[in-house]
Amino acid sequence: MSRFVRASKYRCPHTSRLVWLQRCSRGKPSHVFGQAGKREYGYDNVKVSNSAWDTNLISASARYISINWSASGGGAFAVLPLPSPFGQALHDVPSKLPDIIPLARTHTAPVLDTAWSPANDTLVASASEDGTCLLWKVPDALFEGWTSDGWEPRDLEPVARVDVSPRKVGQVLWHPTAANVLATASGDHCVRLWDLADPARPRATLTGHGDMIQSLTFNATGSIIATTCRDRKLRLFDARASGDPVRVTDGHGGIKGARVIWMGDGDRIATTGFSKMSDRQVVIWETGGLGSVKTLTLDQSAGVVMPFWSDNGILFLAGKGDGNIRYYEYESDMLYALAEHKTAEPQRGMCFLPRRALDVSECEIARAFKVTNSGVEPIAFIVPRKSDSFQSDIYPPAPSSEPSLTAAEFFAGRTAPVNLVNLENGAVFASDVSSHAPPPATVQPMVVSMAPAPEPIVVNPSPPVTPTVTKCASVPPTTSSPGVSPAPVRSESLPADCQHVFVPNEVNTTLREEVDRLNNELRDARQKIRNLELQVEGLRANARKVAQSLMEV
């Protein structure tokens, strides 16, 4: 299990050789380098969304990626097989995508964010400017026959819909330990938590933001939520108590986009943003009093910095419009620069693969998916080793796909650590992480406290209904605790005046015929949209040929 020995390229000037050797002896990744896959291993001819909303544009599960797509007729996103930097995708999908591919199109305005369920690699949620959040189940047959003659793309259909807000929904995020619990952030400056077994109303609404919410993150157990906001405040919320924040402090001084990420199972969070002088920064905060413990100035570029955390103790920073990815080792409230992965092509967005899906045979400790103007590029971050055996020192257990709680248990006040998976043998076990909730004591003088931390309370099972919701034929499964009745299923195409009414099993024939008629009209409309897009692509191709012929004359 030896390591390639060569001069360290990441050591800080003030870091002594003794400290560096101590870090290496404890199994810290001393040499991490980024390896981009060949061009044919990624995707080309990707029509990335042109929305100006600050989003990562891409999200990944252990099987698929989702990309915000530029399409006519409302909002859409694409689902594609997971690309690998070590070889081509297993599905019969070409590297250069066809001009027309299956899309998730039901949104009536641009899709702003997508997120994959940590408990189901085929279940994805999407948020849109139309104020809704839709759930989609990816069928196994979606990628069959893409290269065959006569193939016609068939768009995805949502399995559930949540009407979140009259304003746009900018972010969507799954709970890390509870099954089928979803968080949304909307243009009315609220974060809402939903139990997808009964999404007629939010189970919790977190308020107190003075402007648009820019990002949100859960702690390891999902009991605490941190948010950044355009009002330049950093806030902590108890996810199940009152809607007011339990901690508030001033964040980055600049007005540009700020992001937040929880740093594993500890009590530290990292934010990226801009100073008053427009310097790009990364700040480490302790969550007990929301005090700053480390501030690092990066540069003066204009792009928003996207932070990503790896349980190896590495913080990845990718700036929009940059061609590089910085990464730092975090230890004892210090950030040690490891290296940079540099490319000539700038990135528009990025996401990272769940660690349980990494290729351990290649000593891959992280994998990024970089979105460019017209493509997706997989990048593996590798610790080179001579031995072919499993390297346990660089592969701590990863979060598994098995939830620790049901939604009913979580909203009843229970907290449980995340279930972990051993990357060597696939064994799943419960971690011994306890919740790092900020204590209800008085905060430090530098912190503006909005309210002491209240105790979690059981949500009233029958509050007034605020948002409306409609569901399709099937809903993602949720395991209920004893005594909790399953939620009824509602039809996708109910009239607006019937959205609050629970539909009995014996739906009358007239309503069934109306649903079928509307679904047929929807399919016809989508077919017309695809035909028009094909005509536009043909006209563009002809125009390019004419222009090329004129240039050759």
Side-chain angles (χ1 to χ4, degrees):
M1 300 185 188
S2 63
R3 188 179 281 114
F4 288 131
V5 179
R6 51 181 187 264
S8 173
K9 297 180 180 179
Y10 71 92
R11 234 183 326 165
C12 296
H14 60 273
T15 303
S16 68
R17 179 171 176 80
L18 177 60
V19 172
W20 176 75
L21 290 173
Q22 289 174 345
R23 298 215 321 259
C24 291
S25 65
R26 290 197 294 270
K28 300 295 182 182
S30 62
H31 298 93
V32 183
F33 70 93
Q35 174 181 311
K38 296 179 181 179
R39 188 177 182 88
E40 59 266 25
Y41 294 168
Y43 292 116
D44 200 1
N45 197 30
V46 176
K47 300 175 183 178
V48 185
S49 172
N50 295 319
S51 173
W53 181 252
D54 179 22
T55 177
N56 289 0
L57 292 173
I58 186 171
S59 181
S61 73
R63 295 179 60 183
Y64 306 110
I65 58 172
S66 56
I67 309 168
N68 296 3
W69 206 259
S70 178
S72 57
F77 69 95
V79 176
L80 296 170
L82 198 70
S84 170
F86 308 111
Q88 292 181 330
L90 298 178
H91 294 277
D92 187 23
V93 176
S95 174
K96 184 175 181 180
L97 299 176
D99 291 329
I100 305 297
I101 66 172
L103 296 175
R105 292 180 180 268
T106 305
H107 285 291
T108 58
V111 173
L112 302 180
D113 194 20
T114 59
W116 292 88
S117 169
N120 188 338
D121 290 329
T122 64
L123 182 63
V124 61
S126 60
S128 170
E129 283 189 10
D130 62 12
T132 66
C133 179
L134 299 181
L135 301 180
W136 314 75
K137 190 77 183 301
V138 181
D140 293 334
L142 180 64
F143 307 103
E144 294 179 357
W146 278 41
T147 58
S148 61
D149 295 335
W151 172 74
E152 293 185 2
R154 298 186 62 183
D155 290 338
L156 290 170
E157 297 289 344
V159 297
R161 164 179 169 145
V162 180
D163 288 339
V164 177
S165 167
R167 308 289 295 275
K168 64 185 175 184
V169 184
Q171 291 88 19
V172 60
L173 183 66
W174 292 87
H175 193 277
T177 62
N180 293 339
V181 174
L182 196 66
T184 58
S186 49
D188 54 4
H189 311 161
C190 294
V191 175
R192 294 177 174 87
L193 296 180
W194 306 86
D195 178 1
L196 296 181
D198 183 15
R201 54 185 175 81
R203 298 298 300 270
T205 301
L206 310 180
T207 59
H209 298 92
D211 207 328
M212 189 68 67
I213 300 166
Q214 295 175 322
S215 69
L216 70 158
T217 183
F218 282 103
N219 69 341
T221 59
S223 58
I224 302 295
I225 294 178
T227 65
T228 58
C229 181
R230 194 174 291 172
D231 63 7
R232 291 175 281 186
K233 299 289 185 181
L234 175 64
R235 294 173 173 84
L236 293 184
F237 294 86
D238 185 327
R240 293 163 296 196
S242 67
D244 296 326
V246 297
R247 296 285 186 272
V248 181
T249 191
D250 291 329
H252 298 271
I255 61 174
K256 294 183 181 178
R259 300 288 189 92
V260 61
I261 191 74
W262 211 284
M263 302 177 71
D265 55 17
D267 60 350
R268 296 290 190 266
I269 56 178
T271 62
T272 58
F274 294 81
S275 70
K276 292 182 179 179
M277 303 300 294
S278 297
D279 295 323
R280 293 200 297 189
Q281 298 176 324
V282 56
V283 181
I284 308 299
W285 308 80
E286 53 84 19
T287 56
L290 271 190
S292 170
V293 298
K294 176 67 177 178
T295 300
L296 181 65
T297 299
L298 302 176
D299 53 36
Q300 289 188 325
S301 297
V304 173
V305 178
M306 300 172 285
F308 304 94
W309 173 257
S310 168
D311 290 333
N312 298 82
I314 299 178
L315 179 66
F316 293 87
L317 302 176
K320 289 190 174 183
D322 298 353
N324 63 328
I325 304 172
R326 298 178 174 94
Y327 39 105
Y328 299 82
E329 179 187 353
Y330 171 76
E331 186 175 14
S332 302
D333 289 334
M334 293 294 294
L335 290 174
Y336 299 94
L338 295 179
E340 288 186 39
H341 174 73
K342 297 183 178 181
T343 58
E345 193 167 11
Q347 58 236 4
R348 292 189 55 192
M350 185 169 291
C351 73
F352 273 67
L353 180 69
R355 281 205 316 115
R356 56 187 167 87
L358 294 173
D359 191 340
V360 297
S361 65
E362 298 285 350
C363 293
E364 180 189 35
I365 64 168
R367 184 186 303 178
F369 298 106
K370 172 182 172 179
V371 178
T372 62
N373 285 328
S374 61
V376 176
E377 176 186 2
I379 303 171
F381 291 90
I382 296 173
V383 177
R385 294 292 176 87
K386 291 181 179 179
S387 175
D388 294 332
S389 60
F390 179 76
Q391 308 293 312
S392 59
D393 59 325
I394 61 174
Y395 287 113
S400 74
S401 60
E402 295 186 8
S404 306
L405 298 170
T406 64
E409 290 171 337
F410 170 73
F411 287 111
R414 182 179 171 188
T415 299
V418 65
N419 286 329
L420 301 176
V421 58
N422 188 313
L423 297 183
E424 181 178 14
N425 54 28
V428 177
F429 58 95
S431 65
D432 56 356
V433 178
S434 60
S435 175
H436 293 273
T442 305
V443 298
Q444 301 296 331
M446 69 179 67
V447 179
V448 181
S449 177
M450 298 297 292
E455 294 295 327
I457 59 174
V458 179
V459 179
N460 188 351
S462 301
V465 177
T466 48
T468 59
V469 65
T470 56
K471 289 189 185 180
C472 300
S474 62
V475 181
T478 300
T479 305
S480 299
S481 59
V484 179
S485 59
V489 176
R490 303 177 205 180
S491 170
E492 165 89 18
S493 303
L494 285 175
D497 58 347
C498 298
Q499 288 179 344
H500 293 286
V501 182
F502 289 100
V503 180
N505 293 329
E506 299 81 10
V507 182
N508 59 67
T509 305
T510 303
L511 183 57
R512 287 185 183 276
E513 292 176 351
E514 180 68 11
V515 170
D516 292 339
R517 184 185 65 80
L518 292 174
N519 286 333
N520 290 333
E521 290 180 358
L522 182 60
R523 280 192 291 269
D524 292 341
R526 289 177 178 169
Q527 185 62 43
K528 291 179 181 178
I529 291 174
R530 283 196 293 267
N531 293 337
L532 290 174
E533 288 179 342
L534 285 172
Q535 294 176 19
V536 171
E537 290 296 334
L539 292 174
R540 287 177 179 172
N542 292 335
R544 286 193 294 266
K545 291 179 181 178
V546 172
Q548 184 177 1
S549 62
L550 292 175
M551 292 294 292
E552 293 174 353
V553 173

